[in-house]
Amino acid sequence: MSQPTSITVAKGDGIGPEIMDATLHILKEAGAALDIEEISIGEQEYLKGNSAGIAKESFDSILRTKVFLKAPITTPQGGGYKSLNVTTRKALGLYANVRPCVSYHPFVRTKHPKMDVVIVRENEEDLYAGIEHQQTVDVTQCLKLITRQGTERIVRYAFEYARANNRKKVTCFTKDNIMKITDGLFHKIFDEIAGEYTDIENEHWIVDIGAAKLADTPEGFDVVVMPNLYGDILSDVAAQIAGSVGLAGSANIGPEHAMFEAIHGSAPRRAGQNLANPSGLFLGSVMMLLHINQVEVAERAHNAWLKTIEDGIHTYDIFKEDVSKEKVGTKEFAQAVVARMGQKPETLPAVHYARQEKQIDTNPPYTRPNVVRKLVGVDVFCEHVGATEEVAKALQACDANGLKLRMISSRGMTVWPEGFATTLLCDHWRCRFLVEDPENGAALPHTEVAALLDRVAKSGMEFIKTEGLYYFDGKPAFQMGQGQK
Ligand code: NAD
C-alpha cells in the first residue's frame, strides 16, 4: 500500500453521517490509503455561534491537508448564517466546479439513456462576486466580473480535464451576443485556448439554445465549460435529467486545495433511518481518489459501484419494481458494493482510469497582456425624477474643454438625442461624455473628469457613479447605447 494521504473529512448533518460512513467503508475496502482528520461543520457549529459553520481550528485542518471530503450540512432557518460552501470556495480559491452527469440506463430511469456530460463551472467570478449596490430609489445593480486570468484557468482546466479523461470535445456556453465585453472575453479566451488543444474538438453555443439542446439531447455534449451563473443553473439541470440529483458528485478544485461532495443537501427528513443513497458522496470521493492519484483504488471502487447499480441493488430513491432487484438501506448498499470489489459491470461501461502520469496543472502561469489604454470619456450616472430634456439641458451645460454630452440612456436604451417614446423612464440616467475624436485624438486627462464632475455637481444634478470609457489598443472597450445611431 502506498503512503497514506492526509484528508479532512466532515460528516455534516441530516443524512450526512450515514452516507459518509458508507462511503468511507467502501473506500477502506477498496484499499484507499487515507489518513483522516475529522472535523465538525454545519448546524452545531452555526448554533455554537460560528457564523460560517466551521471553527477556525477545523478550517486549519483543511488548509493543512488541502483535501476536503464533505458531507452535506443543514443551514439553520433564519438569517445571519454564511454559506459554508461559499466561504470554503472563496477562502481556498476553488475556482473549478466539476460535475459529471451520467445516466445509468436501463438500471436507473432516465429520459436520456446515453448521457455522459461533465459540467465545468467557473466558481468565483461573474455575478457571484457579491458586488451589488442600490443606486437610486428605483434601481439596483449587480456587477458581472469576468477576468482574463480567471477565464484562462477555467477554460484551460476544462481542456486539461478532457485530455486527462479521454474526452473528445469541449463546448463553451456564453451569451456574448448580448454581453459582448464580459461573455465576449470568455468566448474569445475559449477560442484562443482551444487552439492549443488540437486533439480535442471544440464548439461554442449561445447559452439559451445550448441549454435547450443540453436538456433535449445531452448525448451531443461531452465536457461543457461555462461562467458561474449559467454553470450553477445548468449543472443542476444536467444532474437531474441524468436520472437523479442523488447520484451526482462534485469536485471543487483550486490551485492548491480541493473539496469533494455530493450535490444534494442533508435531506433531514430521511436522516437516521438508514435510507439515504450514499452514491453522490461516493462518486465525489472517487474524484477525490483521482485527485490524490490513488487511481487504481478509484477504478476498483467505481467499477464495484457500477456493478451494484447494474445488479439492481438500489436504495429507495432509485428503486423501481420493474428494474430493481432488491431495495436496500444505506449500510447494505455499501456492503453490496464491497462484496463486488474487483468486479466490473457487464452492461454499463466500466471505468478505466489510466495511470495519470501528470496531474492537471491547476495553477497555470498567467501573463498579463501588454495593452495600451486610452481614456476617451466618462459615463456619469445620475439620479433624477423628471423628463429626459431636463437631464439633457442640465448636463449639456457641463460640456467644456472638448468633453461633450453625446448620449443619455435609460436602463441601457438610448433616450437622447433620439429615442423611442415607448422606452420606460425611471430615476436613473446614464449620461455619456466623450472627447471629440476618441480614435485619433489625445487621451483625456483624469483631471478633466474631476472637473466635469465638479460642473455636474454645481448643475444641481445628483451623480451617483461614473464609469471610465477607454480604448484598448485603439479599439473601444465599451458598448454603444442600445438603439444608438
Ligand atoms: P436535499 O437535497 O437535502 O433534498 C431534496 C430531496 O431529495 C428530498 O426529498 C430528499 O429526501 C432527497 N434526497 C436528497 N439526497 C438524497 C439521498 N442521498 N438519498 C435519498 N434521497 C435524497 O435538499 P433540501 O431539502 O432543499 O435541503 C435540505 C438541507 O440541505 C437544507 O438545510 C439546505 O440548506 C441543505 N443543503 C446543503 C447542501 C450542501 O451542504 N452542499 C446542498 C444543498 C442543500
Side-chain angles (χ1 to χ4, degrees):
M1 209 201 274
S2 52
Q3 272 296 95
T5 306
S6 292
I7 65 166
T8 302
V9 165
K11 294 191 175 177
D13 301 316
I15 58 171
E18 296 161 76
I19 60 174
M20 183 61 85
D21 286 344
T23 297
L24 294 177
H25 176 50
I26 301 171
L27 296 192
K28 180 163 176 277
E29 296 300 324
L34 302 173
D35 185 0
I36 293 173
E37 289 187 17
E38 193 180 327
I39 60 164
S40 157
I41 57 166
E43 203 166 18
Q44 50 176 314
E45 295 301 319
Y46 283 118
L47 298 176
K48 264 193 231 161
N50 289 316
S51 67
I54 183 166
K56 191 188 164 301
E57 311 77 73
S58 303
F59 203 77
D60 287 345
S61 164
I62 304 173
L63 287 174
R64 195 169 45 244
T65 66
K66 300 184 164 61
V67 182
F68 184 24
L69 180 62
K70 172 184 162 288
I73 59 163
T74 304
T75 316
Q77 299 287 315
Y81 302 109
K82 283 187 253 163
S83 157
L84 177 62
N85 268 8
V86 174
T87 307
T88 317
R89 271 181 209 152
K90 295 223 159 167
L92 304 177
L94 307 180
Y95 66 88
N97 183 243
V98 184
R99 221 182 245 197
C101 302
V102 184
S103 62
Y104 303 100
H105 174 81
F107 307 103
V108 177
R109 194 162 289 162
T110 170
K111 292 183 187 126
H112 302 288
K114 290 198 184 130
M115 180 166 180
D116 184 2
V117 177
V118 180
I119 307 282
V120 177
R121 160 191 171 194
E122 198 291 317
N123 229 359
E124 294 184 297
E125 305 192 340
D126 194 1
L127 288 158
Y128 290 57
I131 309 176
E132 279 197 291
H133 301 91
Q134 174 152 9
Q135 294 198 321
T136 65
V137 172
D138 261 355
V139 176
T140 53
Q141 82 161 9
C142 177
L143 270 190
K144 174 171 167 120
L145 294 181
I146 301 281
T147 69
R148 170 169 276 278
Q149 192 170 9
T151 307
E152 273 190 18
R153 65 179 183 175
I154 191 69
V155 171
R156 203 173 286 289
Y157 186 89
F159 278 98
E160 286 289 321
Y161 179 94
R163 199 176 259 174
N165 292 279
N166 207 18
R167 298 269 174 171
K168 306 287 176 244
K169 182 168 79 173
V170 179
T171 305
C172 174
F173 285 177
T174 72
K175 187 80 183 170
D176 66 335
N177 53 335
I178 303 296
M179 285 161 276
K180 296 180 200 298
I181 294 179
T182 47
D183 279 22
L185 179 66
F186 199 96
H187 186 174
K188 179 168 170 273
I189 290 172
F190 176 78
D191 287 345
E192 280 170 19
I193 289 176
E196 295 173 28
Y197 293 83
T198 46
D199 50 327
I200 297 165
E201 206 187 315
N202 72 82
E203 62 177 8
H204 172 270
W205 288 98
I206 298 294
V207 62
D208 39 17
I209 187 63
K213 276 180 168 289
L214 178 66
D216 184 56
T217 42
E219 59 277 13
F221 295 92
D222 197 343
V223 175
V224 191
V225 64
M226 303 178 231
N228 205 340
L229 177 64
Y230 314 139
D232 190 2
I233 298 167
L234 292 180
S235 60
D236 263 32
V237 172
Q240 182 66 27
I241 64 169
S244 164
V245 276
L247 289 180
S250 137
N252 294 273
I253 310 282
E256 284 186 48
H257 300 80
M259 173 170 82
F260 302 87
E261 58 183 341
I263 71 165
H264 59 73
S266 59
R269 284 190 310 123
R270 307 287 178 193
Q273 299 159 61
N274 191 37
L275 278 175
N277 188 347
S279 298
L281 183 62
F282 167 74
L283 291 174
S285 79
V286 169
M287 287 195 270
M288 178 191 78
L289 290 175
L290 294 172
H291 178 79
I292 60 177
N293 218 9
Q294 297 197 17
V295 180
E296 282 152 22
V297 186
E299 183 169 312
R300 195 175 317 127
H302 198 165
N303 280 329
W305 178 85
L306 286 165
K307 180 81 170 91
T308 310
I309 294 291
E310 189 175 277
D311 285 347
I313 315 295
H314 293 167
T315 44
Y316 83 94
D317 55 316
I318 56 167
F319 184 87
K320 295 278 173 321
E321 292 291 347
D322 49 337
V323 287
S324 307
K325 298 237 167 52
E326 196 185 339
K327 193 191 277 183
V328 291
T330 316
K331 271 191 198 142
E332 294 71 27
F333 180 82
Q335 283 159 2
V337 177
V338 169
R340 285 163 181 75
M341 212 52 81
Q343 296 184 33
K344 290 191 172 152
E346 283 150 32
T347 307
L348 292 170
V351 293
H352 299 283
Y353 298 123
R355 178 160 282 285
Q356 288 174 330
E357 293 299 333
K358 182 175 151 276
Q359 290 275 313
I360 296 176
D361 180 2
T362 52
N363 199 14
Y366 171 72
T367 312
R368 188 166 176 267
N370 220 349
V371 177
V372 179
R373 181 166 87 148
K374 179 168 85 168
L375 184 66
V376 296
V378 61
D379 277 347
V380 182
F381 291 74
C382 294
E383 183 178 47
H384 179 73
V385 179
T388 308
E389 286 309 323
E390 291 168 13
V391 182
K393 194 167 167 223
L395 290 180
Q396 273 185 300
C398 301
D399 287 355
N401 300 338
L403 202 51
K404 205 170 160 193
L405 181 69
R406 310 275 170 178
M407 182 266 288
I408 300 176
S409 73
S410 168
R411 300 179 307 144
M413 189 70 199
T414 306
V415 292
W416 184 90
E418 285 171 48
F420 296 95
T422 43
T423 301
L424 177 74
L425 301 176
C426 57
D427 61 359
H428 185 262
W429 309 82
R430 177 181 55 160
C431 308
R432 174 159 293 174
F433 288 85
L434 275 174
V435 296
E436 198 61 54
D437 182 0
E439 201 173 330
N440 304 308
L444 176 70
H446 281 283
T447 46
E448 280 303 329
V449 175
L452 170 70
L453 292 181
D454 189 47
R455 294 194 293 277
V456 174
K458 286 179 180 142
S459 78
M461 197 54 69
E462 179 76 25
F463 70 80
I464 45 177
K465 83 156 190 174
T466 62
E467 201 71 63
L469 301 173
Y470 293 95
Y471 268 51
F472 280 86
D473 276 348
K475 294 201 192 86
F478 50 90
Q479 281 211 39
M480 303 267 279
Q482 286 163 348
Q484 193 181 2
K485 292 190 188 120

